[in-house]
Structure formats: C-alpha cells, structure tokens
Amino acid sequence: MDGILFYWMSWIVWVIVMFFIPKTVPFRFDFLFHLLAVMVLAGYKLEISFLSMHMSGLYLFFILCVYIRKQSIIKIMELISGCLIVTLAYASFQLFSLLDPIWLVINPSYLLCLFLNYLILLLFKNWKHRLFALLIGLIMGDIIYAVLLVYHSLPYVALTFAWHDDAALVLGANILWRMLELVGQYIYLSSQSKWLTKHRKENFNQ
C-alpha cells in the first residue's frame, strides 16, 4: 500500500526527535512541527488548472526555500544548480522507466535511490545541502514529469503517496550514508589517536 513506508519512517523519526533529542537543540520544535504538517498535508490534493498534486510537496518546497534565504548568493546559486540537475535526473529516470521498463532489472524505487544518492554525492560535500537538493529535486522532478504526462493526455497526480515512499527511501539512504561517514571519521580519528599515543610512548622510552 502506497504511503506506508513514508508514514512508518516519518513516525520513527518524529518519535526519536521528540523523546531523544534535548529540548535545548534549536531546530527541534521546528522540525517536529514541519514533519507533522507534511504527514497531515500528504492526504490532501490541490488542483491547479489541468494539474493535480498533493499539498505536502508544495509545503516542503516553500519551507526549504525560506530556510535557505540567509545563505550567500554563491551558495544559493550552487544549490539551485544542484537542484536543477537532480530535477532533470529524476524526471529523466521516470520517463525512462515509463518508455523502456525492460531495462529496469530490479525495483525502480531501489534503482532511483541508488542513482540519485550517487549523483548527489558527486554534487555536494555538505550533507545538509545534499538533503536540500534531493528534496527540491524530487519535488520539481515529479511536477515536471506530471506536466509532461498531462500534456500528452495521460492522467497523473504529482507528489502522490508512492512519491512520498520513494522520497523517504532516497532520504533515508542518504542519512544512512552520512552516519557511515561519521562512523568512518570516528574510527579514523580513534586509530590516529592510538597511533600517536603509542608513538609518543616509544619515543619517551628511547
């Protein structure tokens, strides 16, 4: 059933932030509020002329744009360029899976997850910028894909629960990769610290 993965992961994240993140953390309340808003708005659709879409994606787009307004012009241009690349990549993948699905040897959602996360790792080093570009690219890419289908008289609703599942899978994989990066950094620093300590002891004994 579409939407199960999205709600499952969203509630897990909400509970973790609510009960395990200290109240002194600045982003805590804002994050909880926006996550609840997205879960509520995911069930509502908005009709714009010939295009139909769920409201949660538009809400996310607006909130993310508000949060980057304080960035420098260079950073904003870099983020916009990355978002455009992810947008075109997502829309191209969806068209490819529609027109020539025989090449998709595994679940398209898994392929999309691998493809977009590999692409975003090439584009950005900052993990926050990665999440931002992924979200904006997923939103705009699905809207562009919907416009193309509707233009050719094919019914399609943008930002559906299936899209939410794919977005949750992509973002979850990206966060998992960030955790692996932190673990790798910790192991490297720990090993370096032990090596330096051992080296100093050897020099002291000499």
Side-chain angles (χ1 to χ4, degrees), residues 92-141:
S92 301
F93 181 89
Q94 293 295 350
L95 287 173
F96 179 79
S97 63
L98 176 68
L99 299 175
D100 201 6
I102 193 172
W103 294 101
L104 303 178
V105 293
I106 63 175
N107 192 316
S109 296
Y110 300 152
L111 281 177
L112 179 67
C113 178
L114 294 173
F115 172 56
L116 291 184
N117 277 290
Y118 178 73
L119 177 63
I120 207 66
L121 289 174
L122 297 178
L123 294 175
F124 296 101
K125 293 182 178 179
N126 187 298
W127 69 276
K128 294 180 181 179
H129 294 170
R130 292 174 189 169
L131 292 177
F132 174 85
L134 277 175
L135 268 174
I136 294 294
L138 286 167
I139 294 168
M140 296 303 297

Side-chain angles (χ1 to χ4, degrees), residues 151-206:
Y151 178 77
H152 291 285
S153 302
L154 297 173
Y156 184 81
V157 180
L159 311 176
T160 59
F161 283 118
W163 175 87
H164 283 78
D165 285 342
D166 289 341
L169 183 64
V170 171
L171 295 177
N174 191 266
I175 293 172
L176 178 62
W177 180 262
R178 176 57 182 169
M179 293 173 64
L180 292 175
E181 286 181 337
L182 292 175
V183 171
Q185 291 175 6
Y186 174 79
I187 294 174
Y188 174 77
L189 293 175
S190 178
S191 62
Q192 286 291 100
S193 177
K194 290 180 180 178
W195 183 85
L196 289 173
T197 303
K198 182 180 179 181
H199 187 66
R200 287 171 183 171
K201 287 182 179 179
E202 290 176 355
N203 290 337
F204 178 77
N205 293 331
Q206 291 177 357

